[in-house]
Amino acid sequence: MREAKKDTSLIAYCGLYCGTCRRYLSGKCVGCHEYTKATWCKLRTCCIKNNYSTCAECTSYADPNDCKKFNNWISKIFALLFKSDRKSCIAKIKSVGLDKFAQEMTESGNYNRPVK
């Protein structure tokens, strides 16, 4: 079992934090940036194409929910099942930066909702 650690490369393109996710920590997932088989994820593809670390760097949409890649039916089901709040994660990244976001998520143990 991996240990939770602060690592900005473990912030998923959508703003979730892989560094504290149970699947990542148990070795069942390599994390968003390393999961090359996730070609189905249009959000991941968009961020890679535009050389973004996360959606927080996107200047096309002030509100990520206006983006069809960020806000689609798959993301709504994911949010419901995992009680995640990717929009708040992206907002938090914009306000505090990647390093502080990763630190806060590591300390809180959250992967799907930012520290308020």
Side-chain angles (χ1 to χ4, degrees), residues 85-104:
D85 188 353
R86 298 174 320 137
K87 182 180 177 184
S88 291
C89 289
I90 292 299
K92 187 74 168 188
I93 292 167
K94 285 182 178 184
S95 71
V96 302
L98 293 172
D99 195 57
K100 179 107 169 115
F101 177 77
Q103 183 69 38
E104 289 179 3

Side-chain angles (χ1 to χ4, degrees), residues 38-56:
T39 56
W40 52 267
C41 182
K42 304 297 181 215
L43 188 69
R44 182 179 188 279
T45 303
C46 178
C47 285
I48 291 170
K49 178 183 162 199
N50 289 293
N51 201 30
Y52 297 152
S53 297
T54 71
C55 289

Side-chain angles (χ1 to χ4, degrees), residues 3 5 8-10 14 18 33 46 51-52 81 86:
E3 186 176 318
K5 62 179 180 174
T8 57
S9 72
L10 294 175
C14 66
C18 300
H33 290 267
C46 178
N51 201 30
Y52 297 152
L81 291 174
R86 298 174 320 137

